[in-house]
Amino acid sequence: MSEKEIIDLEEQFQARIDRGENIEPKDWMPEKYRKTHIRQISQHAHSEIVGMLPEGNWITRTPSLRRKVALLAKVQDEAGHGLYLYSATETLGISRDELFEQLHSGKAKYSSIFNYPVITWADIGAIGWLVDGAAIMNQVMLTRTSYGPYARAMVRICKEESFHQRQGYEIMLTLAQGTKVQKEMAQDALNRWWWPSLMMFGPTDEASTHTEQSMKWKIKRKTNDELRQQFVNQTVPQAEFLGLTIPDKDLKWNEERGQYDFGEIDWDEFWRVVKGHGPCNKERLHARKSAYEKGKWVRDAAVAYADKKAKQTLKEAV
Amino acid sequence: MSKNWPLFEVFIRSKNGLEHRHVGSLHAADATMAIENARDVYTRRMEGVSIWVVESENITASNPEQAGEIFEPAADKVYRHPTFYDLPDEVKHI
């Protein structure tokens, strides 16, 4: 294709996006649109899969059977969400094996939030409330993203995800209304998870290298800072209801803006964790790789069995 | 290097009386496993009463680049719709 033809196609493509049309897998798309999506959707899928690790670790230690079935269902959902998203990524012409390889080699990123340790039972509450709350904010926006398979996966995920946040908040509520020690445990979890949750929305708009193009292609519909502000606005009253204090001395309602002002995020910490030096980066990746390697014989056996059965069917047919 | 599991497309009938609809795809070693996986991935909340799976490579799809020649001929055939025909209001049940 000549350069002129590509420019024409790109203009037509942008016009389709501007008209609000969705893009489907076999449609022509700029190479950069394809690559950006592979990066973003797979990163999202990896986050679901790695996110199962810290929570799965608590399934045997829940305080009641009610909490156990809920946490099991939540972790199972995360697996499902990872699978929807991997399938959506594969429509862009990359294989599942390549995606796993990118995760395991560290080439692909997953959400940094999962590189923080989950120390107490209250952390499971805080994760559901804050981490899933922040994720939902991003995901609701993505149900209207321009790439069809991604948008459809997001619709399913959003429907399922809201129970995650509610179960988390219920855990926090129970602890906050419990004994003094339980309330302290809830406050301690909030103290540790608040700032990393705000970091989940990514760098500031000024520092974000991808935002402008992503908005133009309607991959994103809101900027990182807009979503972060929305999250703070909705979460502060929820913390007040719990009787817990958000660990930010600069947090206060701004009458003029009609929004909360909040303190500066520690961006050094953000980049440190993104670059692999968070408290649990090594542990998470190791657990993930080990699970994959230990499952290899099962996957191989399934293939051998399917091959054998296919041959038998063939023989019967002859 | 082990062989990759093939990709299957999954169709779910949400209740009897409705058609199966495409819901997504998944990998499985064979069709039996694809049904089992589809149950876990796509019907965790009573979304279905019946599942179809078909290997993705067995689906032939129309090419979006030919969408014009395939679909546009229908655009100027309004006489295929009942509203094209002018009848007086007095005439009932038609």
Short mmCIF file of all heavy atoms in Angstrom, two decimals, chain A residues 74-131:
data_model
loop_
_atom_site.label_atom_id
_atom_site.label_comp_id
_atom_site.label_asym_id
_atom_site.label_seq_id
_atom_site.Cartn_x
_atom_site.Cartn_y
_atom_site.Cartn_z
N LYS A 74 -15.62 -14.57 43.84
CA LYS A 74 -14.94 -13.39 43.32
C LYS A 74 -13.67 -13.80 42.56
O LYS A 74 -13.44 -13.34 41.44
CB LYS A 74 -14.58 -12.46 44.49
CG LYS A 74 -13.84 -11.20 44.07
CD LYS A 74 -13.62 -10.30 45.28
CE LYS A 74 -13.14 -8.91 44.90
NZ LYS A 74 -11.76 -8.85 44.48
N VAL A 75 -12.89 -14.69 43.16
CA VAL A 75 -11.65 -15.11 42.51
C VAL A 75 -11.97 -15.86 41.20
O VAL A 75 -11.29 -15.68 40.19
CB VAL A 75 -10.80 -15.98 43.47
CG1 VAL A 75 -9.61 -16.58 42.75
CG2 VAL A 75 -10.32 -15.14 44.64
N GLN A 76 -13.04 -16.64 41.22
CA GLN A 76 -13.44 -17.34 40.00
C GLN A 76 -13.85 -16.33 38.91
O GLN A 76 -13.53 -16.51 37.74
CB GLN A 76 -14.59 -18.29 40.31
CG GLN A 76 -14.80 -19.33 39.21
CD GLN A 76 -16.01 -20.21 39.46
OE1 GLN A 76 -16.80 -19.95 40.36
NE2 GLN A 76 -16.14 -21.25 38.65
N ASP A 77 -14.53 -15.28 39.34
CA ASP A 77 -14.88 -14.22 38.38
C ASP A 77 -13.63 -13.60 37.74
O ASP A 77 -13.59 -13.35 36.55
CB ASP A 77 -15.65 -13.09 39.09
CG ASP A 77 -17.16 -13.34 39.14
OD1 ASP A 77 -17.62 -14.33 38.54
OD2 ASP A 77 -17.85 -12.54 39.78
N GLU A 78 -12.62 -13.36 38.57
CA GLU A 78 -11.39 -12.73 38.04
C GLU A 78 -10.79 -13.63 36.94
O GLU A 78 -10.32 -13.15 35.92
CB GLU A 78 -10.32 -12.51 39.12
CG GLU A 78 -10.77 -11.90 40.44
CD GLU A 78 -11.22 -10.46 40.37
OE1 GLU A 78 -11.34 -9.92 39.26
OE2 GLU A 78 -11.48 -9.88 41.45
N ALA A 79 -10.83 -14.94 37.18
CA ALA A 79 -10.33 -15.87 36.16
C ALA A 79 -11.15 -15.72 34.89
O ALA A 79 -10.60 -15.62 33.79
CB ALA A 79 -10.40 -17.31 36.67
N GLY A 80 -12.47 -15.67 35.04
CA GLY A 80 -13.35 -15.50 33.89
C GLY A 80 -13.05 -14.19 33.15
O GLY A 80 -12.95 -14.16 31.93
N HIS A 81 -12.85 -13.12 33.92
CA HIS A 81 -12.58 -11.82 33.30
C HIS A 81 -11.26 -11.85 32.52
O HIS A 81 -11.16 -11.30 31.43
CB HIS A 81 -12.54 -10.72 34.37
CG HIS A 81 -13.85 -10.57 35.08
ND1 HIS A 81 -14.03 -9.76 36.17
CD2 HIS A 81 -15.06 -11.14 34.85
CE1 HIS A 81 -15.28 -9.84 36.58
NE2 HIS A 81 -15.92 -10.69 35.81
N GLY A 82 -10.28 -12.51 33.11
CA GLY A 82 -9.01 -12.67 32.39
C GLY A 82 -9.22 -13.39 31.06
O GLY A 82 -8.70 -12.97 30.02
N LEU A 83 -10.06 -14.43 31.09
CA LEU A 83 -10.30 -15.20 29.87
C LEU A 83 -11.06 -14.38 28.81
O LEU A 83 -10.73 -14.43 27.63
CB LEU A 83 -11.06 -16.49 30.19
CG LEU A 83 -10.25 -17.51 31.00
CD1 LEU A 83 -11.13 -18.69 31.38
CD2 LEU A 83 -9.04 -17.99 30.23
N TYR A 84 -12.08 -13.62 29.23
CA TYR A 84 -12.78 -12.77 28.25
C TYR A 84 -11.77 -11.86 27.57
O TYR A 84 -11.82 -11.63 26.36
CB TYR A 84 -13.83 -11.84 28.88
CG TYR A 84 -14.90 -12.44 29.76
CD1 TYR A 84 -15.51 -11.65 30.75
CD2 TYR A 84 -15.33 -13.74 29.60
CE1 TYR A 84 -16.50 -12.17 31.56
CE2 TYR A 84 -16.33 -14.25 30.42
CZ TYR A 84 -16.90 -13.47 31.40
OH TYR A 84 -17.88 -13.95 32.21
N LEU A 85 -10.90 -11.29 28.40
CA LEU A 85 -9.98 -10.26 27.88
C LEU A 85 -8.88 -10.85 27.01
O LEU A 85 -8.49 -10.26 26.01
CB LEU A 85 -9.39 -9.46 29.04
CG LEU A 85 -10.42 -8.54 29.73
CD1 LEU A 85 -9.92 -8.08 31.09
CD2 LEU A 85 -10.72 -7.33 28.86
N TYR A 86 -8.39 -12.03 27.40
CA TYR A 86 -7.40 -12.70 26.53
C TYR A 86 -8.02 -12.98 25.16
O TYR A 86 -7.40 -12.77 24.13
CB TYR A 86 -6.89 -14.00 27.15
CG TYR A 86 -5.83 -13.81 28.21
CD1 TYR A 86 -5.93 -14.44 29.45
CD2 TYR A 86 -4.70 -13.03 27.96
CE1 TYR A 86 -4.96 -14.27 30.42
CE2 TYR A 86 -3.72 -12.86 28.94
CZ TYR A 86 -3.86 -13.48 30.17
OH TYR A 86 -2.90 -13.32 31.12
N SER A 87 -9.26 -13.47 25.16
CA SER A 87 -9.93 -13.76 23.89
C SER A 87 -10.07 -12.48 23.06
O SER A 87 -9.85 -12.50 21.85
CB SER A 87 -11.32 -14.35 24.12
OG SER A 87 -11.21 -15.63 24.68
N ALA A 88 -10.44 -11.39 23.71
CA ALA A 88 -10.57 -10.11 22.99
C ALA A 88 -9.22 -9.70 22.39
O ALA A 88 -9.15 -9.23 21.26
CB ALA A 88 -11.10 -9.03 23.92
N THR A 89 -8.15 -9.92 23.14
CA THR A 89 -6.82 -9.55 22.63
C THR A 89 -6.45 -10.41 21.42
O THR A 89 -5.85 -9.93 20.46
CB THR A 89 -5.73 -9.76 23.72
OG1 THR A 89 -6.24 -9.35 24.97
CG2 THR A 89 -4.49 -8.94 23.39
N GLU A 90 -6.82 -11.69 21.49
CA GLU A 90 -6.46 -12.60 20.40
C GLU A 90 -7.13 -12.23 19.07
O GLU A 90 -6.64 -12.58 18.01
CB GLU A 90 -6.82 -14.04 20.78
CG GLU A 90 -5.86 -14.62 21.82
CD GLU A 90 -6.32 -15.98 22.31
OE1 GLU A 90 -6.18 -16.96 21.56
OE2 GLU A 90 -6.85 -16.05 23.42
N THR A 91 -8.26 -11.50 19.13
CA THR A 91 -8.90 -11.07 17.88
C THR A 91 -8.02 -10.09 17.12
O THR A 91 -8.27 -9.78 15.97
CB THR A 91 -10.27 -10.39 18.14
OG1 THR A 91 -10.05 -9.20 18.92
CG2 THR A 91 -11.24 -11.30 18.86
N LEU A 92 -6.98 -9.57 17.78
CA LEU A 92 -6.09 -8.61 17.13
C LEU A 92 -4.87 -9.29 16.52
O LEU A 92 -3.92 -8.62 16.10
CB LEU A 92 -5.66 -7.55 18.15
CG LEU A 92 -6.81 -6.66 18.61
CD1 LEU A 92 -6.51 -6.02 19.95
CD2 LEU A 92 -7.10 -5.59 17.57
N GLY A 93 -4.88 -10.64 16.51
CA GLY A 93 -3.82 -11.36 15.82
C GLY A 93 -2.60 -11.66 16.67
O GLY A 93 -1.48 -11.64 16.18
N ILE A 94 -2.80 -11.94 17.95
CA ILE A 94 -1.69 -12.40 18.79
C ILE A 94 -2.19 -13.65 19.51
O ILE A 94 -3.38 -13.75 19.81
CB ILE A 94 -1.25 -11.29 19.78
CG1 ILE A 94 -0.01 -11.72 20.57
CG2 ILE A 94 -2.37 -10.88 20.73
CD1 ILE A 94 0.70 -10.58 21.27
N SER A 95 -1.29 -14.63 19.73
CA SER A 95 -1.76 -15.90 20.30
C SER A 95 -1.71 -15.87 21.83
O SER A 95 -1.00 -15.06 22.43
CB SER A 95 -0.91 -17.05 19.79
OG SER A 95 0.36 -17.01 20.43
N ARG A 96 -2.48 -16.77 22.43
CA ARG A 96 -2.51 -16.87 23.89
C ARG A 96 -1.11 -17.16 24.44
O ARG A 96 -0.71 -16.58 25.45
CB ARG A 96 -3.50 -17.97 24.30
CG ARG A 96 -3.72 -18.14 25.79
CD ARG A 96 -4.58 -17.05 26.38
NE ARG A 96 -5.89 -16.94 25.76
CZ ARG A 96 -7.01 -17.47 26.27
NH1 ARG A 96 -6.97 -18.13 27.39
NH2 ARG A 96 -8.16 -17.34 25.65
N ASP A 97 -0.38 -18.03 23.75
CA ASP A 97 0.97 -18.37 24.21
C ASP A 97 1.89 -17.16 24.22
O ASP A 97 2.69 -16.96 25.14
CB ASP A 97 1.57 -19.47 23.35
CG ASP A 97 1.11 -20.84 23.82
OD1 ASP A 97 0.30 -20.89 24.77
OD2 ASP A 97 1.54 -21.85 23.24
N GLU A 98 1.76 -16.34 23.16
CA GLU A 98 2.59 -15.12 23.11
C GLU A 98 2.24 -14.19 24.27
O GLU A 98 3.12 -13.56 24.86
CB GLU A 98 2.37 -14.37 21.79
CG GLU A 98 3.03 -15.02 20.59
CD GLU A 98 2.61 -14.33 19.30
OE1 GLU A 98 1.57 -14.70 18.73
OE2 GLU A 98 3.31 -13.39 18.88
N LEU A 99 0.95 -14.12 24.58
CA LEU A 99 0.51 -13.23 25.66
C LEU A 99 1.07 -13.71 27.00
O LEU A 99 1.56 -12.91 27.80
CB LEU A 99 -1.02 -13.18 25.72
CG LEU A 99 -1.69 -12.49 24.53
CD1 LEU A 99 -3.19 -12.73 24.52
CD2 LEU A 99 -1.40 -10.99 24.56
N PHE A 100 1.00 -15.03 27.22
CA PHE A 100 1.56 -15.58 28.47
C PHE A 100 3.06 -15.34 28.54
O PHE A 100 3.60 -14.98 29.58
CB PHE A 100 1.27 -17.08 28.57
CG PHE A 100 -0.15 -17.40 28.96
CD1 PHE A 100 -0.70 -18.65 28.69
CD2 PHE A 100 -0.94 -16.47 29.62
CE1 PHE A 100 -2.00 -18.95 29.07
CE2 PHE A 100 -2.25 -16.76 29.99
CZ PHE A 100 -2.78 -18.01 29.71
N GLU A 101 3.71 -15.53 27.39
CA GLU A 101 5.15 -15.34 27.34
C GLU A 101 5.51 -13.89 27.73
O GLU A 101 6.44 -13.65 28.50
CB GLU A 101 5.63 -15.68 25.91
CG GLU A 101 7.03 -15.23 25.54
CD GLU A 101 8.11 -15.76 26.46
OE1 GLU A 101 7.90 -16.84 27.06
OE2 GLU A 101 9.15 -15.06 26.62
N GLN A 102 4.72 -12.93 27.23
CA GLN A 102 4.97 -11.52 27.56
C GLN A 102 4.79 -11.25 29.06
O GLN A 102 5.53 -10.49 29.66
CB GLN A 102 4.03 -10.61 26.77
CG GLN A 102 4.37 -10.55 25.29
CD GLN A 102 3.43 -9.64 24.51
OE1 GLN A 102 2.46 -9.13 25.06
NE2 GLN A 102 3.73 -9.44 23.25
N LEU A 103 3.79 -11.91 29.65
CA LEU A 103 3.56 -11.73 31.08
C LEU A 103 4.72 -12.34 31.87
O LEU A 103 5.29 -11.72 32.76
CB LEU A 103 2.24 -12.39 31.50
CG LEU A 103 1.97 -12.46 33.01
CD1 LEU A 103 1.87 -11.07 33.63
CD2 LEU A 103 0.69 -13.25 33.31
N HIS A 104 5.06 -13.58 31.51
CA HIS A 104 6.06 -14.31 32.30
C HIS A 104 7.47 -13.74 32.17
O HIS A 104 8.27 -13.82 33.09
CB HIS A 104 6.05 -15.80 31.91
CG HIS A 104 4.74 -16.46 32.20
ND1 HIS A 104 4.33 -17.64 31.62
CD2 HIS A 104 3.73 -16.09 33.02
CE1 HIS A 104 3.13 -17.97 32.08
NE2 HIS A 104 2.75 -17.04 32.92
N SER A 105 7.76 -13.15 31.00
CA SER A 105 9.10 -12.59 30.81
C SER A 105 9.19 -11.18 31.40
O SER A 105 10.27 -10.60 31.46
CB SER A 105 9.44 -12.53 29.32
OG SER A 105 8.60 -11.56 28.70
N GLY A 106 8.05 -10.62 31.82
CA GLY A 106 8.07 -9.27 32.37
C GLY A 106 7.95 -8.20 31.31
O GLY A 106 7.98 -7.00 31.60
N LYS A 107 7.81 -8.62 30.05
CA LYS A 107 7.68 -7.64 28.96
C LYS A 107 6.35 -6.89 29.08
O LYS A 107 6.28 -5.69 28.87
CB LYS A 107 7.77 -8.36 27.61
CG LYS A 107 7.83 -7.40 26.45
CD LYS A 107 7.91 -8.10 25.10
CE LYS A 107 7.67 -7.08 24.00
NZ LYS A 107 6.74 -7.53 22.97
N ALA A 108 5.29 -7.63 29.41
CA ALA A 108 3.98 -7.00 29.59
C ALA A 108 3.78 -6.64 31.06
O ALA A 108 4.28 -7.34 31.94
CB ALA A 108 2.88 -7.94 29.13
N LYS A 109 3.07 -5.57 31.30
CA LYS A 109 2.80 -5.15 32.67
C LYS A 109 1.42 -5.63 33.11
O LYS A 109 0.59 -6.02 32.29
CB LYS A 109 2.84 -3.63 32.75
CG LYS A 109 4.18 -3.01 32.39
CD LYS A 109 5.05 -2.90 33.62
CE LYS A 109 6.37 -2.25 33.32
NZ LYS A 109 7.40 -3.21 32.91
N TYR A 110 1.23 -5.63 34.42
CA TYR A 110 -0.12 -5.80 34.98
C TYR A 110 -0.27 -4.70 36.01
O TYR A 110 0.71 -4.03 36.36
CB TYR A 110 -0.30 -7.19 35.59
CG TYR A 110 0.75 -7.55 36.62
CD1 TYR A 110 0.60 -7.19 37.96
CD2 TYR A 110 1.90 -8.21 36.24
CE1 TYR A 110 1.57 -7.50 38.89
CE2 TYR A 110 2.89 -8.52 37.17
CZ TYR A 110 2.72 -8.17 38.50
OH TYR A 110 3.70 -8.46 39.42
N SER A 111 -1.48 -4.53 36.53
CA SER A 111 -1.71 -3.41 37.43
C SER A 111 -0.79 -3.50 38.66
O SER A 111 -0.73 -4.52 39.33
CB SER A 111 -3.17 -3.40 37.88
OG SER A 111 -3.37 -2.33 38.78
N SER A 112 -0.11 -2.41 38.94
CA SER A 112 0.87 -2.38 40.03
C SER A 112 0.24 -2.64 41.40
O SER A 112 0.93 -3.01 42.34
CB SER A 112 1.56 -1.01 40.09
OG SER A 112 2.61 -0.97 39.18
N ILE A 113 -1.05 -2.44 41.49
CA ILE A 113 -1.72 -2.59 42.78
C ILE A 113 -1.49 -3.99 43.36
O ILE A 113 -1.45 -4.17 44.57
CB ILE A 113 -3.24 -2.30 42.64
CG1 ILE A 113 -3.91 -2.09 43.99
CG2 ILE A 113 -3.97 -3.40 41.89
CD1 ILE A 113 -3.70 -0.73 44.57
N PHE A 114 -1.32 -4.98 42.49
CA PHE A 114 -1.17 -6.35 42.99
C PHE A 114 0.24 -6.65 43.47
O PHE A 114 0.53 -7.76 43.89
CB PHE A 114 -1.64 -7.35 41.93
CG PHE A 114 -3.07 -7.12 41.56
CD1 PHE A 114 -3.43 -6.72 40.28
CD2 PHE A 114 -4.07 -7.25 42.52
CE1 PHE A 114 -4.76 -6.46 39.96
CE2 PHE A 114 -5.40 -6.99 42.20
CZ PHE A 114 -5.74 -6.60 40.92
N ASN A 115 1.09 -5.65 43.42
CA ASN A 115 2.44 -5.82 43.96
C ASN A 115 2.55 -5.35 45.40
O ASN A 115 3.64 -5.25 45.95
CB ASN A 115 3.45 -5.09 43.08
CG ASN A 115 3.58 -5.79 41.74
OD1 ASN A 115 3.56 -7.01 41.67
ND2 ASN A 115 3.68 -5.02 40.67
N TYR A 116 1.39 -5.06 46.01
CA TYR A 116 1.38 -4.72 47.43
C TYR A 116 0.92 -5.95 48.22
O TYR A 116 0.10 -6.73 47.74
CB TYR A 116 0.45 -3.54 47.69
CG TYR A 116 1.01 -2.24 47.15
CD1 TYR A 116 0.80 -1.86 45.83
CD2 TYR A 116 1.80 -1.43 47.96
CE1 TYR A 116 1.33 -0.68 45.33
CE2 TYR A 116 2.34 -0.25 47.47
CZ TYR A 116 2.11 0.12 46.15
OH TYR A 116 2.65 1.27 45.65
N PRO A 117 1.46 -6.10 49.44
CA PRO A 117 1.11 -7.30 50.21
C PRO A 117 -0.29 -7.22 50.83
O PRO A 117 -0.77 -6.13 51.14
CB PRO A 117 2.17 -7.31 51.32
CG PRO A 117 2.61 -5.90 51.46
CD PRO A 117 2.46 -5.26 50.11
N VAL A 118 -0.93 -8.38 50.96
CA VAL A 118 -2.26 -8.48 51.55
C VAL A 118 -2.08 -9.13 52.92
O VAL A 118 -2.02 -10.34 53.05
CB VAL A 118 -3.18 -9.32 50.64
CG1 VAL A 118 -4.59 -9.42 51.23
CG2 VAL A 118 -3.25 -8.69 49.25
N ILE A 119 -1.98 -8.27 53.93
CA ILE A 119 -1.46 -8.73 55.22
C ILE A 119 -2.54 -9.24 56.16
O ILE A 119 -2.37 -10.26 56.83
CB ILE A 119 -0.69 -7.57 55.90
CG1 ILE A 119 0.50 -7.16 55.00
CG2 ILE A 119 -0.16 -8.00 57.26
CD1 ILE A 119 1.06 -5.81 55.36
N THR A 120 -3.67 -8.54 56.21
CA THR A 120 -4.72 -8.95 57.16
C THR A 120 -6.03 -9.20 56.41
O THR A 120 -6.16 -8.86 55.24
CB THR A 120 -5.00 -7.85 58.21
OG1 THR A 120 -5.68 -6.76 57.57
CG2 THR A 120 -3.72 -7.35 58.84
N TRP A 121 -7.01 -9.73 57.13
CA TRP A 121 -8.33 -9.98 56.54
C TRP A 121 -8.97 -8.66 56.09
O TRP A 121 -9.67 -8.60 55.08
CB TRP A 121 -9.24 -10.73 57.52
CG TRP A 121 -10.64 -10.80 57.02
CD1 TRP A 121 -11.74 -10.18 57.54
CD2 TRP A 121 -11.12 -11.51 55.85
NE1 TRP A 121 -12.85 -10.44 56.78
CE2 TRP A 121 -12.50 -11.26 55.73
CE3 TRP A 121 -10.49 -12.32 54.90
CZ2 TRP A 121 -13.27 -11.79 54.71
CZ3 TRP A 121 -11.26 -12.84 53.87
CH2 TRP A 121 -12.63 -12.58 53.80
N ALA A 122 -8.69 -7.57 56.83
CA ALA A 122 -9.26 -6.27 56.44
C ALA A 122 -8.77 -5.85 55.06
O ALA A 122 -9.45 -5.13 54.34
CB ALA A 122 -8.89 -5.22 57.48
N ASP A 123 -7.58 -6.31 54.68
CA ASP A 123 -7.06 -5.98 53.34
C ASP A 123 -7.97 -6.53 52.25
O ASP A 123 -8.13 -5.91 51.20
CB ASP A 123 -5.65 -6.54 53.15
CG ASP A 123 -4.62 -5.78 53.97
OD1 ASP A 123 -5.01 -5.11 54.93
OD2 ASP A 123 -3.42 -5.85 53.64
N ILE A 124 -8.58 -7.69 52.50
CA ILE A 124 -9.50 -8.25 51.51
C ILE A 124 -10.72 -7.33 51.37
O ILE A 124 -11.21 -7.09 50.26
CB ILE A 124 -9.93 -9.69 51.92
CG1 ILE A 124 -8.72 -10.63 51.88
CG2 ILE A 124 -11.05 -10.22 51.02
CD1 ILE A 124 -8.14 -10.88 50.50
N GLY A 125 -11.16 -6.78 52.50
CA GLY A 125 -12.24 -5.80 52.45
C GLY A 125 -11.83 -4.55 51.68
O GLY A 125 -12.56 -4.07 50.81
N ALA A 126 -10.65 -4.03 52.01
CA ALA A 126 -10.18 -2.80 51.37
C ALA A 126 -9.96 -3.00 49.87
O ALA A 126 -10.24 -2.12 49.06
CB ALA A 126 -8.89 -2.33 52.04
N ILE A 127 -9.49 -4.17 49.49
CA ILE A 127 -9.28 -4.45 48.06
C ILE A 127 -10.61 -4.43 47.31
O ILE A 127 -10.74 -3.78 46.28
CB ILE A 127 -8.55 -5.81 47.87
CG1 ILE A 127 -7.10 -5.69 48.32
CG2 ILE A 127 -8.61 -6.25 46.41
CD1 ILE A 127 -6.35 -7.00 48.32
N GLY A 128 -11.61 -5.12 47.85
CA GLY A 128 -12.91 -5.14 47.19
C GLY A 128 -13.49 -3.73 47.08
O GLY A 128 -13.94 -3.30 46.02
N TRP A 129 -13.41 -3.01 48.19
CA TRP A 129 -14.00 -1.66 48.22
C TRP A 129 -13.22 -0.69 47.33
O TRP A 129 -13.80 -0.05 46.44
CB TRP A 129 -14.03 -1.19 49.68
CG TRP A 129 -14.42 0.25 49.87
CD1 TRP A 129 -15.35 0.96 49.16
CD2 TRP A 129 -13.89 1.14 50.86
NE1 TRP A 129 -15.43 2.24 49.65
CE2 TRP A 129 -14.56 2.39 50.69
CE3 TRP A 129 -12.94 1.03 51.88
CZ2 TRP A 129 -14.28 3.51 51.49
CZ3 TRP A 129 -12.68 2.13 52.69
CH2 TRP A 129 -13.34 3.35 52.49
N LEU A 130 -11.91 -0.59 47.54
CA LEU A 130 -11.13 0.46 46.87
C LEU A 130 -10.58 0.01 45.51
O LEU A 130 -10.74 0.71 44.51
CB LEU A 130 -9.96 0.89 47.76
CG LEU A 130 -10.35 1.46 49.13
CD1 LEU A 130 -9.10 1.68 49.98
CD2 LEU A 130 -11.13 2.76 48.97
N VAL A 131 -9.92 -1.15 45.50
CA VAL A 131 -9.27 -1.59 44.27
C VAL A 131 -10.31 -1.95 43.21
O VAL A 131 -10.24 -1.50 42.07
CB VAL A 131 -8.32 -2.78 44.55
CG1 VAL A 131 -7.74 -3.33 43.25
CG2 VAL A 131 -7.21 -2.35 45.51
#
